[in-house]
C-alpha cells in the first residue's frame, strides 16, 4: 500500500468530485473512537478517574 500526501489525496478527491473536508471529517469520526474510547453515558473521552467516580460504576 502506497502512502499518499495530503495534497495527493485532495487532488484524488477533487477529481472524484468529493469534498475533502467532509471526507476527512467522516474518516476522523470513524477512526478517533478507536484511539480515544468514549464514555457510553456522557460521550466524553474515557479516563480511569472518570470511570471510578461514575455513579453507575459505584452502584455496580
Amino acid at each position: 500500500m502506497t502512502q499518499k500526501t495530503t495534497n495527493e489525496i485532495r487532488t484524488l478527491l477533487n477529481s472524484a468530485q468529493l469534498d475533502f473536508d467532509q471526507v476527512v471529517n467522516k474518516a476522523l469520526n470513524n477512526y478517533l473512537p478507536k484511539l480515544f474510547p468514549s464514555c457510553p453515558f456522557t460521550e466524553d473521552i474515557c479516563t480511569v478517574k472518570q470511570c471510578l467516580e461514575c455513579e453507575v460504576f459505584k452502584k455496580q
Side-chain angles (χ1 to χ4, degrees), residues 11-34:
T11 301
L12 288 169
L13 292 174
N14 286 338
S15 297
Q17 299 180 347
L18 295 171
D19 180 38
F20 178 79
D21 291 333
Q22 284 183 337
V23 172
V24 168
N25 192 31
K26 185 168 183 172
L28 286 174
N29 280 320
N30 288 334
Y31 184 68
L32 287 179
K34 294 175 179 136

Side-chain angles (χ1 to χ4, degrees), residues 23-48:
V23 172
V24 168
N25 192 31
K26 185 168 183 172
L28 286 174
N29 280 320
N30 288 334
Y31 184 68
L32 287 179
K34 294 175 179 136
L35 294 175
F36 304 104
S38 61
C39 174
F41 306 106
T42 66
E43 295 188 13
D44 292 334
I45 293 175
C46 278
T47 65
V48 172

